[in-house]
Each structure stands twice: as C-alpha cells, then as structure tokens.
Amino acid sequence: MSVTQKAHSAQRNQEIPEATRLRLFKLQVEIRYCEKRAYDLFLQNLVKGTSHLALGQEAVAAGFAAAMNPDDYTFCTYRGHHHTLARGAPMLSVLGELMGRQCGLMKGKGGSMHLTSVAHGVMGSYAIVGAHLPIAAGAAWSAQYRGTKQVACAFFGDGATNIGAFHEALNLAAVWKLPVVFCCENNMYMEYTPISAVTAVKHPAADRAASYGLERQVIDGNDADVVYSAARDAFAKARSGGGPSLIECLTYRHSGHSRADPAKYRPKEELEEWLKRDPVTLYRNRLLASGVAEGTLAKIESEAMTKLDQATEAAKASPTPSLESAMSDVWADGGNAWRN
Amino acid sequence: MAQLSYRDAVAAAIAQEMRRDERVVLFGEDTAAAGGVFKTTVGLFEEFGPRRVKDTPISELAILGAAMGAAMTGLRPVAEIMFSDFLACCWDYVANEIAKTRYMSDGQISIPLVIRTANGAGSRFGAQHSQSVENWAMAIPGLKVVAPSTPADAKGLLAAAIRDPDPVVFFEHKSLLANKAEVPEGEHVEPLGKAKVLREGKDITVIALAAMVPRALKAAETLAAEHGISATVMDLRSLVPLDAKTLLAESARTGRVFTVEENPRLCGWGAEIASVIQEEIFGALKGPIVRITTPHVPLPAADQLEDAVVPSVARIVAEVRRGLDSRRAA
Ligand SMILES: Cc1ncc(C[n+]2csc(CCOP(=O)(O)OP(=O)(O)O)c2C)c(N)n1
Ligand SMILES: [Mg+2]
C-alpha cells in the first residue's frame, strides 16, 4: 500500500498528548466492540432492517472525533454508527435505535441508517449517497454567518465522489470559503464494485481536490494518529477562516457492505493484507511500544466491554416505541395534520 | 394601501422579514445584484448586502442542501430554485432530506426554510420551463405547499412562510408576476392554510389555485352574465395545510363542485380535494365533482398550443356548462 502521508506520519504519535492517545484507543475499542455487538444482535434477530458496519474503519471516526470541538457538526452516512459513537452518543441509544426501541436515539423513527444526536453534534446520518455534503456546507455557512467558529464535517465513502452533490458541495464550499471538512473514507468499494472500476482517477477524492483549488491529501486511514493530526490541522484551518479541506483516508471494511453481504467479491489476499493492518491492533501495539502499560489498555478494554454489556441489556429491556409516535413530529408543532 | 406588482410584493415580503429577523438570508442563481431572473428579488442585495443576499453557482443540489444545513443550525434561509421544473434536479433534497429529517430525527432537527420557485405556464417556454408542479410537492409528507394568486397574498403568505417553523415550498406563478393590485403597507402576514372565498354564488363552487384563480373569476362573470349560473369561487392559497373546513362548507352549500387545476391530470391536487369532498359530504353533492385540468400531456411551446391545453376562461365556462348539462340529461 502506498500512502502519501504529507506531513502526517506515525512519528507524530509522540507529539500527541498521552491523554489524547488513550482517548483515540478507547474510542476505537468502544466502536469495535459495539459494531461487533450490533452484528451479534442482528444474528439474534434483535436488530431489524439493514445496517452497515464500520468494522475496520474505527481509526477514521476516532481520529476525527478527537480533533473536534464539542459544538462542531458531524454529518455522516448510513455507515455512521462509528461516527455517532465517537462523538459521544451513548451505546444504549445507538443499539436501542438499531433494535427499534423506545430508548433509541430517535425512538425507532430513523433506524440504523439515520442515527442523529444533535446533543452530540451528530446532525444526522444520510442514506442518499452524497446528499449530506451540501448540507454540511450549509451548516458551515450558518456557523460562518453566526460567527460561532464551529466547523462542519462530512464523512462519506469513495463511491460518493462520483455523485453530483460531492462536486457541487466542494465548489460552493471553496467559493464561499466555508469552515467545512470533507472526509472521504476510501474503503475501495462502493457496494460490491471496486471503486477503481468506475472512477476516472486513482484517488477518487484527492485527485479531484485540485478542481476546487484544494490541497491533495491522501492519508493512512487505519492509523489513528495520522488521522487525528490531519483532522486537527483541517479543523484549525477551517476555524481560522482558511476555508474547506478534503481528506481522503485509505481504509477497508472488514465485513460486507451491509449485513446481507458476505463480500465474496473481494480477493482473499486483499482482505488478509488489510486485516494485518487492523487499526485497533495497530494502535494497541503502538501504545505498548511507546511505553503505555498493558494494564492501562486492558482496563480500557474491560471497561468498554462492561459498558457495552450494560447497554445491551438495557436496550433489550427497553420497551418498543408507543405506536402513536409513528404519527408525531411531522411538523414543528409535534403533529402530522395536513388539513383542518 | 399601495399598488404593487406580484413580483414587487415578493421582494417586499422578503425585505420585511429580513428587516425584522437577522436569521433570514436569501440566495439562489442570479438572486443578488441581478435581482433575480424574474426580478422578484430586486433591491434586496442593495439593502442587505452580500452577507445576507447571495448568488450561488448553478448547483441546485448545493442550493437546497446548503439551505437545509443552514436551517437546521439556526438560520431561516429563503432559497430560490429559478424554475419549478428544476426541482426535479434537486428532488432528493425536497422529498427525502428537507421533508423527512424532522420526523426521522424524532423532532431533534427543525428545518425552517422556504423554497421559492417560479411555477406555471403562460411564457411559452415549453415542457421544461412551464410546468405546474405544486402537486409533486403536495405528495410529500413534511412539506407545506403555498401558491398565491394576488400581490397581497404573495406578500402576506411569503412572510408567513418565512416565519413558519417548517419547510415551505412557495410557488410564484410566472404569468401573475406583472399583475398589480392593492397590497397592505407596513407589516403584512397572512396565515397559511386559510382558503379565501372571492365570490359567493348559489349554483356551483369553483375551487382554484394561483393563475387559475383570476381565470375562474372571469369564468364566473361569464357564467353569471350569459348563462344564469351563479358561482362561488374559492382560492385555496395553500395545498398543505389544506383548509378542508372552508372547502367542504362551500362545496356543501352548492352541491356542485369544479376544480380548476393547471397541473396535469393524473394525481393533480384536485384529485385529493375531490376525494376529501366525496368521503365527507357525499350526501350534499348534487352531481359528480368535475376536474378541469391541463390534460395529461407535457406542455407544448407554441402560444396557440399552450393556450389550448392550460385551462382557459372559455374552457372553464364550457366545462362547467357541460358538467351541469350532463347532470340534467341524466
Ligand atoms: C443516491 C444513491 N444511489 C445509490 C444508493 C445505494 N447505495 C447505498 S450505499 C452504496 C455504496 C456507497 O459506496 P461508498 O460511497 O464507497 O460508501 P461505503 O458504503 O463504502 O461506506 C450504494 C450504491 C444510495 N443509497 N443512494
Ligand atoms: Mg466505499
């Protein structure tokens, strides 16, 4: 794998404060455990509908979330559990939503593909590919207009770079110099088709950056330190009025596109190569090598598991939503009346 | 009262709301210095400056996407989609994103925005620049749909749409833009969801919207003067929320109902109106509800052809007479 790392390299690890590094580890562990649990719950028929796991892509979510201010805005896709958790939405509310329970983030009205937690800056997960990029630009414009120094960040896949909304959003963000960061999680596949088979350039996001006067950035998306450093710089630039950034993170999903997909279309060796570069293992080993005690990491892991087990049980015990809620919140008055 | 054109009334409403609320911003293609392709935003750039009145690239997705992102984070955007036909380019935002995000988020997210767009025939622009697409918007849960017929309503209803906490698609009719009439000076806001009875008659109830309203009124004069038919004419003004109370009461009073719709026939707004009426006051009807619509064809460009398909005063008169006659014959 050849990665242009720009100024971001693993050596940067030493510049990142230990508290941040431990947080990056904790976030990745929590996401990994929670995504695996979501899969188990699906096998038990407790998670209905579809879900798109981010197993293997934890470093992107952790790196970006750790670089954000609490009032920054996250806009993600249907593959958004990791970003929602990384911003601090409780596991109970996320799993509860996947299970269609009253305790869910949206009380079962959105489902896995639409996780939203405004209290944590998660301004929605969008299931129409690319749709949220212009929306993130609009939120960034609003922040700029209100002078709040907030930054909006849109996460999207490699496949989204071929849809018009990607290009319209980048152009508008560049023209209006908006405080927005566009993060492409290039996991090499759209649903079942390799992105290289349907894209005119090698790097679906970064190779388009120049068209919008933006810097070309391709980074190792499986290295949380690299992601964190790149995100931190992009957020600082946006906050200081420097305009948008586009960062392409190279990563890989360990499982299929959605829960129904066994991902047979991927070469075995390719998967094995990427499993060797598992972001969570990679980061754990790096922390150990840099002198963090095994006990410290084990404690983070066991605490994450305890938290997850408690959340799982609480979600299972949560009632299903009241049937009246299907008729509420069409309008701001809470109702659904279209006539008098 | 001042005499204002419909297009100036639109600008007056936006100015009125921008003066009272710093959160209101306006943008679209050529909406700033140029004052809009239809000159409906003239003077706003001069008064409010480039921070609040902006030109966008030709990016309908970005226009509505940005409006939504701004609305959900504290602004009250007024976004212009130049021709309503172009809503098809950004329909994802209208139908999937803007309309549904409040519901999907269980009320966490509010989207107080207005999509203004020039709707309707009369300019001989052909099938992609002349459509009446208010029925498209009406089909989507989560959208309010407003279409004024007079300058006073253009001002009052647009002001209300901007103040409304929910997304509103606001259809400005191209063939009405030059019409001048009295518009209240000073602050003017008309509540959404109130139909207006413009003429009281005893024989039939004619329900119309936007450019079909003045035609229905003219037809009513002809029907009275030449055929002894006394017509109530009602301007729906908004499709969502729908003033069902008024339209049911007015329909029950005469028992003979005619809709006049510029949208093409299938699933036009009148179909829903007819359905509501027959379900709820069937016993009061003295004959079938008749829908007078543009036939189910794309709009032709040539003036004679366009005039032949969009309901005209003559056609309204003829179809009302035929509707009443067929009843008599039966
Ligand atoms: C506009 C649109 N087209 C197609 C789809 C169906 N679809 C859902 S996910 C997906 C693949 C997206 O790939 P990518 O952007 O790389 O994201 P990833 O799933 O790999 O995270 C497709 C085609 C959709 N949801 N929206
Ligand atoms: Mg992908």
Side-chain angles (χ1 to χ4, degrees):
Chain A
M1 188 184 63
S2 74
V3 177
T4 322
Q5 290 197 353
K6 226 195 72 182
H8 310 292
S9 72
Q11 281 92 298
R12 282 273 190 121
N13 191 25
Q14 297 309 324
E15 301 165 21
I16 302 172
E18 180 160 304
T20 306
R21 287 154 60 208
L22 290 176
R23 178 155 176 241
L24 288 168
F25 179 66
K26 179 170 174 248
L27 289 173
Q28 292 184 83
V29 167
E30 289 183 349
I31 295 166
R32 169 65 53 90
Y33 289 2
C34 201
E35 286 287 68
K36 280 191 164 163
R37 181 61 51 85
Y39 188 71
D40 294 343
L41 290 168
F42 154 61
L43 292 178
Q44 295 164 39
N45 203 27
L46 286 168
V47 167
K48 314 282 170 58
T50 188
S51 51
H52 305 76
L53 303 179
L55 291 168
Q57 303 184 194
E58 295 87 350
V60 179
F64 268 83
M68 286 185 189
N69 287 349
D71 64 349
D72 287 337
Y73 298 123
T74 285
F75 292 83
C76 46
T77 73
Y78 50 88
R79 194 183 309 288
H81 305 171
H82 55 329
H83 295 299
T84 306
L85 290 164
R87 291 302 306 276
M91 290 174 177
L92 169 64
S93 320
V94 170
L95 290 176
E97 187 63 28
L98 269 50
M99 293 163 69
R101 302 299 169 104
Q102 178 70 24
C103 69
L105 275 176
M106 301 91 76
K107 303 198 185 75
K109 288 171 86 166
S112 160
M113 297 204 284
H114 299 290
L115 296 182
T116 304
S117 184
V118 171
H120 299 96
V122 182
M123 304 306 286
S125 304
Y126 295 80
I128 306 295
V129 167
H132 58 306
L133 277 75
I135 301 172
W141 175 44
S142 151
Q144 181 191 64
Y145 182 90
R146 291 177 289 117
T148 59
K149 299 277 177 201
Q150 290 163 289
V151 177
C153 184
F155 300 95
F156 50 94
D158 42 282
T161 64
N162 289 325
I163 204 161
F166 167 85
H167 298 274
E168 293 195 10
L170 280 164
N171 184 58
L172 190 77
V175 172
W176 288 3
K177 239 182 166 204
L178 298 177
V180 56
V181 179
F182 296 103
C183 171
C184 175
E185 293 177 77
N186 180 0
N187 59 13
M188 299 171 50
Y189 290 85
M190 25 188 285
E191 278 171 335
Y192 315 136
T193 305
I195 195 66
S196 57
V198 293
T199 308
V201 291
K202 178 159 182 263
H203 284 289
D207 288 348
R208 267 84 172 245
S211 309
Y212 305 105
L214 301 177
E215 187 186 355
R216 183 183 188 284
Q217 296 193 58
V218 183
I219 66 166
D220 181 353
N222 277 20
D223 184 326
D225 287 334
V226 170
V227 173
Y228 171 74
S229 306
R232 191 190 49 196
D233 293 354
F235 279 97
K237 177 182 162 194
R239 239 181 275 290
S240 62
S245 299
L246 173 62
I247 302 175
E248 179 173 327
C249 304
L250 300 183
T251 185
Y252 201 76
R253 55 171 153 78
H254 290 174
S255 47
H257 166 72
S258 61
R259 63 177 219 185
D261 170 27
K264 293 262 168 54
Y265 45 85
R266 304 194 298 193
K268 199 163 148 277
E269 312 76 59
E270 182 184 284
L271 175 61
E272 278 165 9
E273 247 344 274
W274 279 94
L275 285 175
K276 278 188 217 150
R277 303 203 59 258
D278 174 12
V280 185
T281 314
L282 199 131
Y283 206 69
R284 193 180 203 285
N285 290 339
R286 177 168 316 145
L287 288 180
L288 283 176
S290 75
V292 177
E294 163 66 32
T296 307
L297 302 180
K299 183 157 176 274
I300 289 174
E301 289 162 337
S302 73
E303 281 173 1
M305 190 52 80
T306 306
K307 197 158 102 172
L308 176 62
D309 286 340
Q310 284 167 354
T312 308
E313 289 318 307
K316 284 183 185 167
S318 171
T320 52
S322 73
L323 296 186
E324 294 82 68
S325 73
M327 300 304 289
S328 69
D329 285 311
V330 175
W331 307 121
D333 66 9
N336 65 65
W338 53 271
R339 54 167 285 188
N340 58 10
Chain B
M1 290 267 197
Q3 286 274 324
L4 274 191
S5 68
Y6 186 102
R7 62 160 53 85
D8 290 343
V10 167
I14 301 169
Q16 169 184 300
E17 296 309 303
M18 289 186 80
R19 279 178 211 129
R20 78 182 274 278
D21 188 347
E22 173 75 16
R23 298 170 301 173
V24 179
V25 290
L26 169 78
F27 59 100
E29 294 160 20
D30 303 313
T31 49
V37 165
F38 295 104
K39 300 291 167 222
T40 40
T41 56
V42 168
L44 299 174
F45 179 74
E46 287 73 14
E47 180 173 351
F48 300 102
R51 183 169 159 267
R52 298 183 70 190
V53 180
K54 297 175 91 71
D55 283 326
T56 66
I58 306 166
S59 298
E60 276 73 17
L61 309 178
I63 292 170
L64 291 196
M68 171 170 168
M72 64 202 269
T73 55
L75 300 192
R76 297 212 158 223
V78 179
E80 179 173 310
I81 296 297
M82 192 185 291
F83 285 78
S84 63
D85 314 67
F86 307 166
L87 287 173
C89 300
C90 45
W91 196 242
D92 174 42
Y93 290 92
V94 183
N96 288 323
E97 316 296 347
I98 289 169
K100 300 195 168 77
T101 293
R102 165 182 292 284
Y103 183 86
M104 291 195 297
S105 71
D106 189 43
Q108 291 181 65
I109 291 175
S110 295
I111 308 185
L113 60 75
V114 180
I115 302 169
R116 293 177 42 243
T117 189
N119 197 42
S123 305
R124 313 349 187 157
F125 289 162
Q128 298 176 344
H129 288 73
S130 307
Q131 295 173 83
S132 280
V133 303
E134 60 275 9
N135 59 325
W136 297 1
M138 189 191 190
I140 310 294
L143 297 176
K144 295 184 177 172
V145 184
V146 179
S149 72
T150 65
D153 280 353
K155 182 174 178 187
L157 294 174
L158 181 52
I162 295 171
R163 293 183 193 189
D164 200 90
D166 293 308
V168 180
V169 187
F170 193 84
F171 290 100
E172 295 161 11
H173 202 289
K174 292 193 284 291
S175 79
L176 298 175
L177 291 172
N179 288 8
K180 272 196 167 177
E182 300 274 288
V183 176
E185 272 167 291
E187 189 168 280
H188 176 49
V189 187
E190 281 282 307
L192 304 185
K194 287 255 166 293
K196 201 169 188 175
V197 178
L198 299 172
R199 179 193 164 101
E200 292 272 5
K202 59 179 180 19
D203 299 326
I204 64 169
T205 300
V206 180
I207 303 172
L209 186 75
M212 297 300 101
V213 173
R215 292 185 191 191
L217 283 169
K218 277 219 184 77
E221 282 167 27
T222 308
L223 286 166
E226 297 173 17
H227 308 286
I229 299 167
S230 157
T232 288
V233 176
M234 206 177 107
D235 180 357
L236 272 184
R237 304 205 291 176
S238 84
L239 297 176
V240 182
L242 182 69
D243 187 356
K245 266 191 192 144
T246 305
L247 80 87
L248 288 170
E250 291 302 321
S251 301
R253 223 164 42 73
T254 65
R256 288 309 316 258
V257 182
F258 297 82
T259 65
V260 188
E261 309 165 47
E262 190 173 334
N263 53 211
R265 176 87 193 181
L266 299 192
C267 301
W269 57 258
E272 185 58 46
I273 304 290
S275 156
V276 168
I277 293 172
Q278 65 82 21
E279 263 186 66
E280 298 180 34
I281 54 161
F282 188 74
L285 294 179
K286 297 177 191 149
I289 300 164
V290 175
R291 292 181 57 213
I292 303 167
T293 76
T294 298
H296 213 62
V297 297
L299 284 171
D303 46 3
Q304 298 89 339
L305 297 180
E306 193 186 66
D307 288 343
V309 293
V310 176
S312 60
V313 174
R315 203 175 118 210
I316 298 167
V317 170
E319 295 214 24
V320 166
R321 294 189 63 214
R322 188 166 36 239
L324 294 178
D325 281 350
S326 66
R327 177 64 185 167
R328 257 168 238 152

